[in-house]
Every structure is written in C-alpha cells, then in structure tokens.
Amino acid sequence: MSNLTDPSTPGYTLTPEEAAATAEISIQLASAYPSFDDPALLRDLPRLAASLPPGTQRFLREFHLSDRRGHAVIRGHVFDQDR
C-alpha cells in the first residue's frame, strides 16, 4: 500500500481557493529559487510557509506537533500540464 492510499497517513485536501493560492505561491517560488535544495530556499522556508493559506498552515503545524510518521499527503493541488 502506498502512503497516498494508506488511510493512516495524515492528509489534508485543499479547497479550490487554497489550491489556487498554493499554485500561485509555487510559481513565485519556482522563479525565485533555482532548485528545491537551494540553501536560500531551505533557509527561507519558515518565512515562506507563512504565505500558505491558513487551513494549510494549521494542518501542517498540527502535523508537525503530533505526527511521528514523518510524512503527510496534501491533495487537491492545481497542476498546469502545459508547463
């Protein structure tokens, strides 16, 4: 069973508004940082997380404080297949 389908994996489903906001943030980050392992991105992540929608922030904070599995699934992202 994959982590995506395991019912014990913590998860959160974005609302359409959260998905749109998250997609916009992702586009901005992709243009500002050359790769996901860029040291500047890793340093800036706590500040950048504050721009996520409040529901997403709340889920991630609760996950951080209570989960021992080390992974979660966030569903409902918007993907631009043409990019």
Side-chain angles (χ1 to χ4, degrees), residues 14-58:
L14 299 169
T15 66
E17 294 79 16
E18 290 172 328
T22 302
E24 184 59 36
I25 292 166
S26 298
I27 291 168
Q28 293 170 7
L29 293 178
S31 67
Y33 300 94
S35 71
F36 67 88
D37 61 350
D38 181 316
L41 173 61
L42 298 176
R43 180 193 65 234
D44 294 345
L45 278 176
R47 178 182 54 78
L48 297 167
S51 62
L52 290 169
T56 308
Q57 289 182 45
R58 192 170 22 265

